[in-house]
Every structure is written in structure tokens, then in C-alpha cells.
Amino acid sequence: MNYLIWDFDGTLGYRSGMWSGTLLDILESRMPGHGRTIDDIRPHLRSGFPWHNHHLINPPDRPADEWWGGCHALFTKAFLALGVPPAEAPRLAGLVRHAYTDVTRWRLYDDTLSILDALSALGWRHILLSNHVPELPLILHHLGLEPRFLSVFNSATTGCEKPHPSAFRGVLDVMEPGANVWMIGDSMVADIRGAEAAGIPAILVRGEDKGGVIAIVEGSRR
Ligand SMILES: [Mg+2]
């Protein structure tokens, strides 16, 4: 059997502005005239998410409230650093979950569905492996991705963040021995190096090397 393990964010879909854009949206709506740009926000979100501590494994099936609670201090600190008054910062941090998971803000890349379907027709089965928030299934459903995937491995649910080898082993565990499997993603560290360390060949897309996904996979098929 042939399997493709896909990253989601930055590979198949995206939220405009990602996390920094989410905080900017909140500033725009709650503090008009704040004068900050997305570039001012980015440095404050470069650490503190679960995937930045990928060496730690969390318990599986953590309640979503607990997951978001773990990020509250990070968002509060970011808003404080951006000049939001101390009395207001925790309140704005509490708005991030709703804003980030607003499914109408999520998009697929133009070629995502056609590539997935073309590869399905060639006999590849799709599995998703993402470092993401607990609401990922709602986002996938909204984007029409859900029916195209055999299974979804979300770090918020499994407790394992890429590139930790356990994240990849969990996926391999559901496949029959000797399966033909490739990882496809946009992150050299989380997707490519992580997969290769777990013995899975990997293809970098949309990042430094923007190769055509279908051409590469067909050419590499054993
Ligand atoms: Mg990605």
C-alpha cells in the first residue's frame, strides 16, 4: 500500500497572517489606531507554543480548554509587549482562540484539492500529521479536506509534536509493515528532518524548494 503523510499548515492550507495575523486582527478590532504591524508582533510569538517544546510529550486527548489555557500567558505577554495596558492584555489574550479558529479565515492553496485527488487516482492514500490546535477537525471539515484523508494525527490530540519521533511512529503504527510511505511538508525541521529521523523519506514543498508535488512523487515512486 502507498501512503502520503501530509503536513497541513503552510503545505495544504493556511490562515492569513497565521498567529501574528490573529493578534493583529484582535488589535484592529479592539484598539483601533494601535499603530502596530504584523512584523512588530512576530518576534513575540517565536516561542511558547507546544510545538516549540517538541521534546516534551503531553498526555493524549487533553481537553481543548487546557490546551488553550497553556497558551494564555504567551498571548498575554505578547499583548503587553505590544503596548496593551496590563488591565486589558489578559482579556485580549482570551480572544485569540475564537479568532484563530474562525474557519472562515482559513484557506486552501489553489492546487491542494487537485493534487490530493490526482495522487489518490494514482493509488496513494492520504494521512494528515499536523502540529495544531484542538479545533483542527473543524477547520479541515470547513475546507473539505476531511473526506480525502484516511486519518488525521493532530498534536493537540496525540500530545506528540513534530519533529519528535513519536509523532511519526504513531502514524507508522497504523500502516501494514513494508508500506510505501513518504512525508510531504513545508518545514525542513519539523517535517523533513523529523520524518527522515523516523526512517520516512520526505519531500519539502512550498518552502525553500518549491518543486511540483505531483512530479516529484511520481518520479520517486518505487
Ligand atoms: Mg507546515
Side-chain angles (χ1 to χ4, degrees), residues 18-97:
M18 307 309 297
W19 288 101
S20 301
T22 304
L23 269 64
L24 186 63
D25 288 348
I26 293 169
L27 283 177
E28 299 281 348
S29 67
R30 303 294 161 143
M31 295 184 65
H34 56 83
R36 299 293 183 171
T37 69
I38 197 161
D39 290 332
D40 297 325
I41 300 173
R42 282 200 185 101
H44 304 292
L45 298 175
R46 287 201 180 122
S47 64
F49 286 102
W51 38 88
H52 294 131
N53 295 313
H54 51 78
H55 53 285
L56 299 175
I57 293 187
N58 285 298
D61 301 316
R62 273 197 301 166
D65 287 349
E66 193 181 311
W67 192 97
W68 285 99
C71 295
H72 193 263
L74 163 68
F75 301 141
T76 302
K77 209 170 127 198
F79 280 123
L80 285 171
L82 293 163
V84 174
E88 279 293 291
R91 199 176 62 80
L92 296 200
L95 301 175
V96 173
R97 177 179 182 176

Side-chain angles (χ1 to χ4, degrees), residues 7-13 130-131 162 185-187 190-191:
D7 169 54
F8 172 61
D9 250 315
T11 297
L12 300 174
S130 176
N131 292 346
K162 295 177 290 184
D186 72 310
S187 166
D191 300 322

Side-chain angles (χ1 to χ4, degrees), residues 171-194:
V171 180
L172 292 177
D173 281 350
V174 303
M175 297 174 185
E176 67 280 5
N180 185 24
V181 51
W182 289 79
M183 173 80 206
I184 301 175
D186 72 310
S187 166
M188 181 55 87
V189 173
D191 300 322
I192 308 306
R193 300 254 161 78

